[in-house]
Amino acid sequence: MLVRYYHDDLRKVMVEHLGSLEILRVDAASLEKVLCDFFVKNNIPWQNLVSLLMDSCAVMRGSKTGLETRIQQHCPNLLDVDGDSCHHIHNAAKKFSEGFDGYLERVFSDLQVDHQWSPDQVMYLKEVAMILNLPVSSPQRGFVNHRWLSAYDASMATHAMMPAYQVLYYGFLSTADKELYKEPLESIFTKHNVNQTARARGEVVQDKLAKKGMTPQGRERKKRICQKLWHEETTTVLQLSLYKGVLAILKDYVMIFQGSQTLVHKLHDLQLELFLACLACFVKAEHITKLSPRALRELVLEDHMLLPSKDVYVGQEADTFRSQNPKHALLVPFLASVRKAYITTAVYLQKKLPLNSPTLIALSALDPLLRGHSQATLQLKRLSAMLNHLLPEDQDLSRELVQFSVDLTLPRYKEGDGMVDWWGHVFHQPGKYPALSALAKCCLSIFHGPRVESSFSLMNEIIDQRSGNMNVETFNAIQTAKYVLQSRGQTAVQMFERSDVKFGESLGESFSLQDVVNDGPSPEEEVVHPERPDPGEAEEAYHSDVEAHGIALDDDLPHITLTSENFSLSGLCEKLCVLLKFFTAQ
């Protein structure tokens, strides 16, 4: 569980680790009980909870018995910001691919597996790419099945490397197929200005691959890849063009909200823009541009509203092919699949995106660019009604909003400026906007992107094969420490440094944590090994002159002294434990 809040001293929105819990049975009732126990144990009032962000599976957001529905019994004023919209967009990419029966996804997976355990083949692929003067891109990490928008990245990489793949896999074709595709292969070399020496090297690579030992599964996999690269090249190129163009629209949205910037005020507008952009690919613009969010939510697509097949967006290369080959045999089934994919994706987005959410519309009023508009003031009042239980009762918010809308002392805001930084100017005007500041801090703390996904990356740095038996308490402590350091942009030494604490070395020399950071000789200084001191200086090598360093021990300050009698591993551990207890007490 992650928590998001505004930090008054640091003037920024913080994301920190609230807790990791062990759950044996994953259902809504069990999750509710675990969360309730956690809130009670840590003395957290339910009314402090502004909103929840989860994925949209039935266990989490089921309308009848989902976890969020159950939590609303404890926190009736919980804001409904819907589920994680980035998960919706990933699933929309999956819906889009279903229109083509996962044709390209199978290509991506086969290419990935075929190179994953063949370092020699990867080496040959890179060599061929260099011969063709192409940017090298390995297929090993290009596609992840459960992250559907990774198909966009794989499409871009596969399209760029298509000539290299064709040259490489030419070596796996049968003798008859090699003769059939000999002229197209020569065309690839000619198009990329490959000289005769480089072509001869390419033939050597192909001969080596043809002699490569293969398992039955590997042989079948290469046969499938050759089928897509050579026999069905046109279909593959058409679909790559479509994926590059259409999935880029979805990818742009996800990239915006995967970052750490606070953009809760952009949720409604960007979701609306995304939905309209997807519709515009295959629907006549006059049927959608003037519709309200509510009307878009209720829109029923009819045949007369759809663009003719010759005008549907299919990507640059596919569009060129369509215009040059209007009667090609592959074009009719391809365009039929495109229309089916578009309609399926649009219906899914229409159902899942909260296009008419009163909460998200009201949150748009946080945008400083809207300050001074009457509708922004109206929406902020609606927000205050939703979060009235968290606002000071003795303050007149309506008066503050009137003053806020025309306040000339506030700095001007330009598109691209940090919204949290701008609202910081409002928060730090003593006594001027107490109720508005409380409202804005609550709203800025709302999660709006898949930040929990990043915790899985941190988890992978902690739990591996050697630490698989780590208990939850230890993992919880490590995650909490990592998030605290990350949110403040500090190292452990920087965060816990204390100038009033000194540490002692073997014979009483004291040093601070900063001395540890700056420890070590300069480039001009001679390094003397302590076990091999200079002749005649054996004794001096181990002595320290406290006064010469300008450092004196303060008897009132705690410190650790390590002597030859107690310098052992167990003794050192005991001293470190004492030190940790001291920091904890402070």
Side-chain angles (χ1 to χ4, degrees), residues 464-510:
D464 53 25
Q465 293 180 349
R466 294 175 297 177
S467 58
N469 292 328
M470 180 183 297
N471 60 44
V472 175
E473 290 76 13
T474 302
F475 171 77
N476 182 67
I478 295 175
Q479 282 285 75
T480 300
K482 279 180 172 286
Y483 267 95
V484 168
L485 296 174
Q486 185 182 70
S487 63
R488 287 159 175 76
Q490 293 180 313
T491 64
V493 172
Q494 292 170 333
M495 184 167 184
F496 296 108
E497 180 190 3
R498 292 184 53 183
S499 58
D500 62 332
V501 177
K502 304 294 181 181
F503 303 88
E505 206 183 15
S506 57
L507 292 179
E509 180 180 5
S510 61

Side-chain angles (χ1 to χ4, degrees), residues 87-151:
H87 279 85
H88 293 325
I89 305 308
H90 277 285
N91 289 333
K94 178 181 178 181
K95 290 290 183 182
F96 188 81
S97 70
E98 289 175 356
F100 306 92
D101 299 322
Y103 177 94
L104 283 182
E105 284 75 11
R106 289 193 293 273
V107 176
F108 302 149
S109 295
D110 282 343
L111 285 172
Q112 178 176 312
V113 173
D114 207 43
H115 289 79
Q116 187 171 5
W117 310 113
S118 301
D120 58 335
Q121 191 168 310
V122 173
M123 180 186 67
Y124 289 137
L125 176 64
K126 293 180 179 179
E127 186 176 354
V128 170
M130 292 175 64
I131 290 174
L132 298 175
N133 195 27
L134 296 174
V136 180
S137 176
S138 173
Q140 290 179 305
R141 298 183 180 180
F143 178 66
V144 183
N145 281 314
H146 62 277
R147 302 296 289 174
W148 288 96
L149 263 179
S150 64

Side-chain angles (χ1 to χ4, degrees), residues 100 163 166 173 223 234 240 246 260 297 310 316 361 369 401 415 427 432 447 452 514 574:
F100 306 92
Q166 287 181 300
L173 291 173
K223 184 178 179 181
T234 301
L240 283 174
V246 176
S260 58
R297 179 81 176 182
K310 65 183 181 63
Q316 186 175 1
I361 293 175
L369 290 174
L401 290 176
E415 187 70 45
F427 301 156
K432 194 171 184 179
F447 276 103
V452 172
Q514 190 60 44
E574 292 178 3

Side-chain angles (χ1 to χ4, degrees), residues 214-408:
M214 292 179 283
T215 63
Q217 294 85 351
R219 190 175 294 108
E220 285 298 315
R221 183 169 56 248
K222 286 176 173 60
K223 184 178 179 181
R224 292 195 301 269
I225 294 174
C226 289
Q227 179 77 17
K228 302 293 177 62
L229 293 179
W230 284 107
H231 302 295
E232 301 175 6
E233 177 189 2
T234 301
T235 300
T236 302
V237 171
L238 287 174
Q239 293 198 22
L240 283 174
S241 172
L242 181 69
Y243 271 44
K244 284 172 55 187
V246 176
L247 296 188
I249 300 173
L250 304 178
K251 182 76 171 183
D252 288 343
Y253 178 91
V254 171
M255 292 303 295
I256 291 173
F257 287 103
Q258 276 187 339
S260 58
Q261 192 175 4
T262 298
L263 295 171
V264 66
H265 62 299
K266 294 288 188 181
L267 266 175
H268 175 261
D269 292 342
L270 291 180
Q271 288 181 14
L272 194 61
E273 289 177 13
L274 171 68
F275 185 59
L276 287 172
C278 290
L279 287 178
C281 291
F282 70 106
V283 178
K284 297 175 183 177
E286 59 267 24
H287 293 293
I288 56 177
T289 51
K290 296 182 180 180
L291 296 181
S292 65
R294 180 186 294 275
L296 283 172
R297 179 81 176 182
E298 299 171 354
L299 177 67
V300 177
L301 296 174
E302 299 177 359
D303 289 342
H304 74 277
M305 302 168 61
L306 305 181
L307 290 170
S309 296
K310 65 183 181 63
D311 296 326
V312 171
Y313 177 69
V314 290
Q316 186 175 1
E317 277 124 338
D319 186 52
T320 301
F321 179 86
R322 179 175 55 186
S323 61
Q324 294 176 351
N325 306 275
K327 296 183 179 180
H328 196 283
L330 293 176
L331 202 56
V332 173
F334 170 68
L335 293 176
S337 297
V338 170
R339 173 165 293 190
K340 176 184 176 183
Y342 273 136
I343 293 176
T344 302
T345 305
V347 170
Y348 176 83
L349 289 174
Q350 185 183 42
K351 178 181 179 182
K352 292 296 183 180
L353 294 181
L355 300 174
N356 194 39
S357 167
T359 303
L360 296 188
I361 293 175
L363 288 170
S364 300
L366 291 172
D367 193 336
L369 290 174
L370 301 180
R371 186 174 72 93
H373 197 286
S374 59
Q375 280 298 315
T377 302
L378 177 62
Q379 294 299 338
L380 287 174
K381 287 182 178 179
R382 290 177 178 172
L383 267 182
S384 67
M386 299 176 191
L387 297 170
N388 187 57
H389 61 292
L390 295 174
L391 304 182
E393 297 179 357
D394 57 343
Q395 300 296 329
D396 186 354
L397 178 62
S398 297
R399 180 185 58 79
E400 291 182 23
L401 290 176
V402 171
Q403 185 179 1
F404 170 75
S405 64
V406 295
D407 192 342
L408 299 179

Side-chain angles (χ1 to χ4, degrees), residues 27-60:
D27 56 47
S30 301
L31 290 171
E32 178 193 13
K33 183 179 185 306
V34 169
L35 282 177
C36 289
D37 292 344
F38 180 85
F39 271 57
V40 171
K41 179 181 178 181
N42 292 277
N43 196 26
I44 302 175
W46 279 107
Q47 67 177 17
N48 287 5
L49 187 61
V50 177
S51 68
L52 289 172
L53 186 68
M54 314 176 195
D55 60 25
S56 297
C57 64
V59 172
M60 294 297 186

Side-chain angles (χ1 to χ4, degrees), residues 148-204:
W148 288 96
L149 263 179
S150 64
Y152 168 74
D153 300 316
S155 299
M156 296 293 290
T158 303
H159 181 268
M161 289 286 288
M162 186 77 171
Y165 286 136
Q166 287 181 300
V167 172
L168 185 76
Y169 282 92
Y170 183 87
F172 296 112
L173 291 173
S174 65
T175 303
D177 286 339
K178 285 182 179 179
E179 188 64 29
L180 177 65
Y181 293 110
K182 184 176 182 179
E183 186 176 340
L185 178 67
E186 291 297 321
S187 299
I188 293 175
F189 285 139
T190 302
K191 181 179 179 180
H192 292 84
N193 301 316
V194 180
N195 58 37
Q196 292 301 321
T197 304
R199 294 187 188 195
R201 176 55 188 167
E203 293 175 0
V204 171

